[in-house]
Amino acid sequence: MLEFTFLSWRLIAARHASTHIARPPDEGGRFCPVAVDVQCIHLVCSFLKLTELLEWYTATFRDPLMLQPPAWFKAFMYCEAVLQLPFFPVAVYAFLKGGCRWIRTPAIIYSTHAATTLFAILAHILFHDFSQSEQLGPRTQRERLTLLSVYVPYLLIPLLILVTMLYHPHYNHVEKRKRK
């Protein structure tokens, strides 16, 4: 079940925005949160030309973290590019193949890292006073909750992976040694 959830998570994340709001220009409704995150650190901006998608996303969801990211958010995005993105193909391989208990430790590292960064991001969205900020941010409680709904799945899926890796008997198997 976890394998299906992990694989479908990446597919669902690619279509999330098109089910609730207007489609981005020239994208046919496809939305890639990882690409938006990676563009935030401006490493691939000129190569992938995701500027229009970024502008659409920030205007639609009023997400100030993407338009003018603070230094702490940039640090999270660098960590995502270096630590989390390489984990995805490894995890897909392990979950598709099945029976790979070695994925337990990398999955625990990934899920705790992702959840920890999301707690800071969600707290910023919920408690920051955007009225005094230069950045475009959510003005109403409804806009905060809408923006929160974009980020919450990035917390829930890693927590699901963490709980599975810690408590599922397949991944938490301890071999017993025979006594002589």
Side-chain angles (χ1 to χ4, degrees):
M1 181 65 182
L2 175 69
E3 294 84 0
F4 175 75
T5 303
F6 182 79
L7 295 174
S8 61
W9 160 242
R10 284 294 154 196
L11 297 174
I12 290 170
R15 299 287 295 166
H16 174 71
S18 65
T19 60
H20 300 295
I21 50 180
R23 296 171 185 239
D26 301 318
E27 288 297 318
R30 288 182 293 282
F31 181 75
C32 186
V34 172
V36 174
D37 286 352
V38 172
Q39 185 186 9
C40 180
I41 57 177
H42 301 291
L43 291 176
V44 294
C45 182
S46 61
F47 182 72
L48 295 179
K49 299 186 190 241
L50 296 174
T51 306
E52 288 182 17
L53 180 61
L54 179 63
E55 289 171 1
W56 169 83
Y57 169 78
T58 55
T60 304
F61 290 102
R62 301 188 62 80
D63 189 349
L65 296 174
M66 291 294 166
L67 204 52
Q68 294 176 332
W72 61 267
F73 190 74
K74 286 181 184 179
F76 286 169
M77 294 305 103
Y78 282 115
C79 287
E80 180 176 333
V82 172
L83 299 174
Q84 293 180 17
L85 289 179
F87 169 75
F88 297 143
V90 172
V92 167
Y93 168 78
F95 292 144
L96 284 177
K97 183 177 179 193
C100 298
R101 292 188 177 140
W102 54 263
I103 194 64
R104 183 176 190 261
T105 301
I108 289 171
I109 293 169
Y110 158 76
S111 59
T112 54
H113 180 265
T116 303
T117 60
L118 260 298
F119 283 125
I121 292 169
L122 296 178
H124 181 76
I125 292 169
L126 286 174
F127 304 120
H128 184 72
D129 184 13
F130 293 105
S131 65
Q132 299 174 0
S133 177
E134 297 175 8
Q135 303 170 345
L136 173 73
R139 293 174 289 196
T140 65
Q141 188 67 19
R142 180 178 174 89
E143 288 176 350
R144 285 182 191 265
L145 293 176
T146 301
L147 182 56
L148 200 69
S149 72
V150 172
Y151 283 98
V152 164
Y154 292 98
L155 173 65
L156 296 179
I157 297 299
L159 289 178
L160 176 65
I161 292 171
L162 179 64
V163 167
T164 302
M165 292 298 138
L166 291 177
Y167 297 111
H168 193 277
H170 177 75
Y171 297 106
N172 198 13
H173 178 72
V174 177
E175 293 183 26
K176 296 180 182 178
R177 295 183 181 185
K178 293 183 180 180
R179 292 184 183 185
K180 293 182 180 182

